[in-house]
Amino acid sequence: MSQSNTLNTQRPLLATHHFTYSFVGLALMSGITIGMNKILVTLLALHLNAESWQIGLLIGAESLSMMLMSLPAGIFISRFSARWVYAISSLGAMTLYPLIGYSTSWYLAAIFLFIAGICIPFRVVAMNTSWLERLPEVGTSRGGWYRGTLMLGIGLVGPLLGNLVSSHLGIQGSYWITSILFAVMSFYGFTILSRTREADTGKSVRGGVKEMLQYLRDPMVRQVCIYDGLGGMVRGFFGTFIIVIAVRQFHWSAQQGITLMVVEGAAFVAVLLLLGHVVAKLGERLTYNLSHASLIIGLAFLGLSSGVVGLLIGAVLQAIGQAFNHLVNISRLAHSGKNMGHVSGLFTMVGMAGGFVGATLGGFLSKGFVLQDIFLLWIPIWLAVCPGFRAFISSNFKKLAA
């Protein structure tokens, strides 16, 4: 279904500049809550003395519920509009997330995370949909602003604030702070997000999900989803275990592990906010090749380094690769002319599925591998999908065959 088949009741629209800056403010606040929650969950897991595979399941529980609800979220947003879905789901998160802090075991925390995580994809897909709808007028050069400010909160401000607040209020008190932030975002998001909805609301959720999955037959959408899904795997593993690796393998403090996460987040944000115009100049194929090369080299540094400098270099290179990969993906989707609610739901689902796989698979692989070595296992997967590497192998294979 194309956007031309939807009802657009959003008149008058917010002025482009007003929408842009209001939206990135909402994205920053959203990122802060996510970043705080990531730190709080890791600190809670360490407090509960959870093993690596248990931490993987603990983080994966939230990612699993988010993945399962991403496609239905796209249907409900197309039917009822982004602003209503975002507001209601934010109130749900406000109510549920404080329960996590009262967990007395890792599996109880995992149950609470799974239940609370149901609310998150509705918020994420609502924001993705609104951004994709307005991106052609906002401009491709600003395409990374949403993810950039979101990651500014997730990778930089959120972890720092989570560490600061938890040291003063404890884990339980910190979760109540995130609850207040969810309440504020509910009302703030309602005022700026899209009111666009489908003209035909008689279609079942099941039928809508089938229609969304049909987009995977489109080569462009399929490629974007593969790249973002694999990116989600790396992000899921890095975000889940980098602090654990720092504390348990290198015997650093938790604050030093958080520093690695903050540096990685800062590099990711800088590329998204400042280098969006590079994609237009280099073109999609070259940008993909450069981004994948940076990501692969970064993974090698992360997997082989034993010192602070090497790990910092790896974190930065991996982040740069992820950022350029995202910039191309989001630009291609925004100009695809497809139903933004549906495409956004699909795009969100594969990213969250990657996060789930990265966290849980990494946790189980830790039974047979040193955690740090698992960074190296992602490298052949990225080589297999990198356009430049595939072309190189194909060219040499043809020469040998000749």
Side-chain angles (χ1 to χ4, degrees), residues 14 40 42 55 99-100 115-116 129-130 141-142 153 183 204 303 315 319 322 330 333 343 360 363 383 390-391:
L14 287 174
L40 294 175
T42 303
I55 295 175
L99 298 176
I100 301 168
I115 296 172
T129 300
S130 296
S141 63
R142 296 178 176 178
S204 67
Q322 292 268 18
I330 200 72
L333 287 181
V343 170
T360 55
L383 286 173
R390 289 166 61 115

Side-chain angles (χ1 to χ4, degrees), residues 20-21 24 131 141-150 272-274:
T20 301
Y21 292 109
V24 297
W131 186 244
S141 63
R142 296 178 176 178
W145 281 25
Y146 164 41
R147 181 65 71 89
T149 49
L150 184 70
L272 290 178
L273 294 182
L274 302 176

Side-chain angles (χ1 to χ4, degrees), residues 62-346:
E62 184 181 35
S63 298
L64 177 61
S65 64
M66 291 163 66
M67 176 186 69
L68 293 175
M69 297 307 297
S70 293
L71 293 184
I75 302 300
F76 281 104
I77 286 163
S78 293
R79 183 173 299 179
F80 299 111
S81 82
R83 68 170 186 165
W84 276 107
V85 173
Y86 182 88
I88 294 172
S89 59
S90 294
L91 291 177
M94 174 198 73
T95 304
L96 294 170
Y97 267 87
L99 298 176
I100 301 168
Y102 293 90
S103 303
T104 55
S105 63
W106 73 269
Y107 53 84
L108 186 59
I111 292 172
F112 285 143
L113 274 167
F114 180 86
I115 296 172
I118 292 173
C119 302
I120 301 303
F122 290 94
R123 301 177 72 252
V124 173
V125 178
M127 293 188 71
N128 279 340
T129 300
S130 296
W131 186 244
L132 288 171
E133 284 183 359
R134 300 293 296 270
L135 186 56
E137 63 187 82
V138 171
T140 302
S141 63
R142 296 178 176 178
W145 281 25
Y146 164 41
R147 181 65 71 89
T149 49
L150 184 70
M151 288 305 301
L152 179 63
I154 294 175
L156 185 62
V157 182
L160 291 175
L161 189 58
N163 186 47
L164 177 64
V165 174
S166 62
S167 64
H168 288 84
L169 301 179
I171 294 176
Q172 294 177 355
S174 300
Y175 269 112
W176 282 108
I177 297 297
T178 65
S179 178
I180 294 171
L181 290 175
F182 278 123
V184 172
M185 287 186 290
S186 176
F187 293 100
Y188 184 25
F190 186 81
T191 64
I192 64 174
L193 295 184
S194 170
R195 299 181 179 90
T196 302
R197 61 182 180 83
E198 282 186 339
D200 179 15
T201 59
K203 186 181 299 182
S204 67
V205 173
R206 182 179 179 181
V209 168
K210 286 184 177 180
E211 184 176 301
M212 293 170 72
L213 292 174
Q214 294 295 320
Y215 284 126
L216 289 175
R217 295 183 177 180
D218 185 308
M220 183 276 292
V221 175
R222 186 168 60 248
Q223 186 182 55
V224 165
C225 287
I226 289 172
Y227 289 162
D228 202 68
L230 291 177
M233 288 172 61
V234 175
R235 290 193 302 271
F237 180 76
F238 182 92
T240 302
F241 292 109
I242 194 61
I243 298 176
V244 179
I245 291 171
V247 172
R248 293 183 176 175
Q249 184 169 332
F250 297 117
H251 306 292
W252 298 355
S253 67
Q255 284 69 29
Q256 289 174 302
I258 291 172
T259 299
L260 274 176
M261 181 180 287
V262 168
V263 170
E264 191 266 353
F268 189 85
V269 168
V271 174
L272 290 178
L273 294 182
L274 302 176
L275 299 181
H277 62 282
V278 173
V279 176
K281 291 183 178 180
L282 296 180
E284 294 174 357
R285 186 177 181 84
L286 180 55
T287 305
Y288 270 143
N289 286 329
L290 290 175
S291 71
H292 295 174
S294 178
L295 201 157
I296 290 166
I297 296 171
L299 287 171
F301 269 97
L302 286 169
L304 297 173
S305 300
S306 57
V308 176
V309 175
L311 289 170
L312 286 173
I313 292 173
V316 169
L317 288 176
Q318 182 269 147
I320 291 172
Q322 292 268 18
F324 276 117
N325 184 58
H326 173 75
L327 283 170
V328 184
N329 289 340
I330 200 72
S331 176
R332 296 177 76 186
L333 287 181
H335 294 89
S336 66
K338 303 184 185 301
N339 182 303
M340 289 299 107
H342 287 187
V343 170
S344 178
L346 187 62

